[in-house]
Amino acid sequence: MNDWPEGWSGDNRGDRYGRGSASARPESARVMRQVRRGAAPPPGQSAPPYGGVPQQPSYVDGQGHGGQDGYDSGYNTGQVYGSPGGPGPGPGRPAPDWRRRIKWTAITLATVVVVTTVGTYFWADSKLNREVDLSKVIERPGAGEGTNYLIVGSDSREGMTSEQKKDLHTGSAEGKRTDSMMILHTGDNGSTLISLPRDSDVEIPSFVGSESGKKYEGTGRRVKLNAAYAEDGPELLVRTVEHNTGLRLDHYVEIGFAGFANIVDSVGGVEMDIPQDIKDPKSGADLKKGKQTLNGEDALAFVRTRYALAGSDLDRTKNQQKFLSALANQVATPSTVLNPFKLYPTMGSGLDSLVVDKDMGLFDLASMFWAMKSVSGGDGTSMNMPVSGSVGGNLRWDDAKVKQLVEQLKNDEKVTVSGN
């Protein structure tokens, strides 16, 4: 049975090209309408060879060349999709505008710094305990040059657990008393830090009660300085110091036991050069002579120790000055200021535990710390209030030296008076 269409048997297919034919002659273009190129030839002319399909370039030379139009397919050069004008990259991405990028990066960073600084300021300002009202202090001396701070370390145990009281050897006494008192003067001629021994013999003047508002007339009663604080708190202490010195105090700063220890721990301890072996069961101090880093517990014991010292309270005040200056220096180091993981805990623990006057601002507080730092750096003076002797177990101030010292502070002059 013949499966080929009519006229297409294996014997009569004719000399056609394709479909299994062995003939080398190509099939007529008439049957390849889909590849016809160009217009039909005019009457009387024969069709171009290959049925009107343009002849492809010769590959005889192996370069893909040889056509009359010099056409190069690009197959041998890898430029299969090259542009008609020849191989080559298309238009590139524009070069980055680095000046514009740097400008916006700087603006972004500046914005972040400003927002962080402003946020930190308001956060820190909100943590200050402004509890002392100096407007209640009566009969105050005239203001002088520079700024005077009264810095008080109290034995307040407020907020401490029984375990903390035991670890810090604070005891469990109710209320609070002053454990240390200092006047810090800042001005154009450097800073001066003056310790006021707690056993100083002073007169309690007339005053207005901080809570009652009632006026109590002075009777010439003489007591130890720390008794003024115990009697009516910070306001009476300020009134008593101003009355007995004639120096106006601009700001008040107080810190308790727990707050002091927390600040020391938050900065990673404070390095001190202990002048001698100290062992004092009352304060809990058990320290060896030489350089060492004190943690909060050891630092508190160090500044409270007096019974193990030859000069008792006078030697203790000197140790307190050295330590507070070293602490201020540690707080102001780049490793603390530039490290947010250290700065914020330090600020938080410090500000939470400070009690200040109602007019105290963060800039005033920062100025106080920088002044204390300058004292430890040798740009200031540290001393005890000049003492001439004792009376009834209390330390009597040297009136002539105290008067000269106060005049120099009032006029913001370089201090030449020496203390004990």
Side-chain angles (χ1 to χ4, degrees):
M1 180 176 178
N2 189 355
D3 293 331
W4 295 94
E6 185 177 355
W8 286 86
S9 67
D11 297 330
N12 60 358
R13 282 176 292 175
D15 295 330
R16 295 182 180 274
Y17 177 77
R19 293 186 175 87
S21 171
S23 172
R25 183 169 61 86
E27 190 173 350
S28 170
R30 178 177 56 83
V31 296
M32 298 177 64
R33 299 181 184 275
Q34 70 275 18
V35 297
R36 177 173 295 176
R37 311 286 175 86
Q45 295 185 11
S46 60
Y50 305 105
V53 179
Q55 186 177 2
Q56 300 301 308
S58 170
Y59 290 85
V60 176
D61 60 359
Q63 301 292 325
H65 299 140
Q68 294 180 356
D69 57 357
Y71 173 77
D72 180 4
S73 67
Y75 278 99
N76 287 345
T77 63
Q79 301 294 329
V80 179
Y81 299 105
S83 60
R93 180 180 298 176
D97 187 345
W98 289 109
R99 184 174 299 177
R100 180 182 177 85
R101 290 188 180 185
I102 292 173
K103 171 186 174 182
W104 282 107
T105 299
I107 291 175
T108 301
L109 290 176
T111 301
V112 171
V113 170
V114 170
V115 171
T116 302
T117 302
V118 172
T120 299
Y121 175 86
F122 283 104
W123 167 77
D125 187 73
S126 68
K127 298 181 77 66
L128 277 178
N129 300 306
R130 297 182 173 92
E131 299 177 5
V132 180
D133 189 357
L134 296 183
S135 67
K136 295 179 179 179
V137 180
I138 62 173
E139 301 176 19
R140 308 192 67 185
E145 301 293 329
T147 304
N148 299 309
Y149 299 83
L150 180 61
I151 303 172
V152 174
S154 76
D155 64 0
S156 171
R157 297 152 178 87
E158 184 177 353
M160 296 177 65
T161 64
S162 298
E163 185 177 355
Q164 287 175 319
K165 292 176 183 178
K166 180 179 179 181
D167 292 340
L168 298 177
H169 301 272
T170 64
S172 299
E174 296 297 328
K176 58 181 181 178
R177 287 150 293 278
T178 51
D179 208 53
S180 62
M181 292 159 283
M182 302 178 189
I183 294 175
L184 174 66
H185 173 84
T186 66
D188 295 334
N189 284 290
S191 302
T192 304
L193 186 61
I194 308 162
S195 287
L196 309 176
R198 57 182 286 175
D199 294 338
S200 297
D201 184 73
V202 295
E203 179 188 349
I204 296 293
S206 57
F207 68 97
V208 174
S210 58
E211 296 294 333
S212 66
K214 179 181 177 182
K215 185 173 182 179
Y216 298 87
E217 296 293 340
T219 60
R221 178 167 51 104
R222 302 193 73 85
V223 298
K224 291 182 178 180
L225 180 59
N226 65 341
Y229 183 95
E231 186 172 333
D232 198 51
E235 288 83 1
L236 179 55
L237 177 61
V238 170
R239 168 74 175 125
T240 301
V241 172
E242 289 187 342
H243 174 77
N244 285 268
T245 62
L247 182 69
R248 185 185 182 94
L249 301 174
D250 301 291
H251 292 294
Y252 177 92
V253 180
E254 177 187 324
I255 187 169
F257 282 162
F260 180 84
N262 289 339
I263 293 175
V264 174
D265 286 335
S266 66
V267 297
V270 176
E271 185 179 73
M272 287 293 296
D273 189 358
I274 307 299
Q276 66 182 73
D277 290 348
I278 299 176
K279 190 171 182 64
D280 183 2
K282 290 186 177 294
S283 68
D286 188 4
L287 305 170
K288 299 298 182 182
K289 179 181 178 180
K291 284 188 176 182
Q292 54 199 284
T293 299
L294 303 182
N295 60 20
E297 180 181 339
D298 291 335
L300 183 60
F302 175 69
V303 299
R304 294 181 61 215
T305 294
R306 64 169 172 163
Y307 294 106
L309 305 176
S312 188
D313 202 37
L314 292 177
D315 282 350
R316 179 174 71 160
T317 56
K318 293 176 183 178
N319 286 341
Q320 291 172 345
Q321 291 175 349
K322 292 177 182 177
F323 186 85
L324 289 179
S325 296
L327 175 60
N329 187 66
Q330 177 68 25
V331 171
T333 58
S335 63
T336 299
V337 175
L338 300 180
N339 183 355
F341 298 102
K342 194 180 261 190
L343 175 63
Y344 285 97
T346 301
M347 292 178 63
S349 60
L351 296 172
D352 276 341
S353 58
L354 290 180
V355 175
V356 299
D357 65 271
K358 293 183 179 297
D359 294 327
M360 173 73 85
L362 285 179
F363 290 110
D364 298 313
L365 195 60
S367 176
M368 184 192 79
F369 272 100
W370 281 108
M372 293 181 66
K373 180 178 181 295
S374 70
V375 171
S376 67
D379 294 331
T381 302
S382 60
M383 58 184 291
N384 278 323
M385 185 65 82
V387 174
S388 62
S390 63
V391 53
N394 298 344
L395 296 174
R396 176 68 63 87
W397 291 351
D398 187 321
D399 293 336
K401 285 188 175 182
V402 169
K403 183 177 180 181
Q404 182 182 0
L405 172 63
V406 169
E407 286 300 315
Q408 290 176 342
L409 295 178
K410 278 186 174 182
N411 297 323
D412 195 24
E413 299 172 351
K414 184 174 179 60
V415 172
T416 60
V417 178
S418 60
N420 298 83

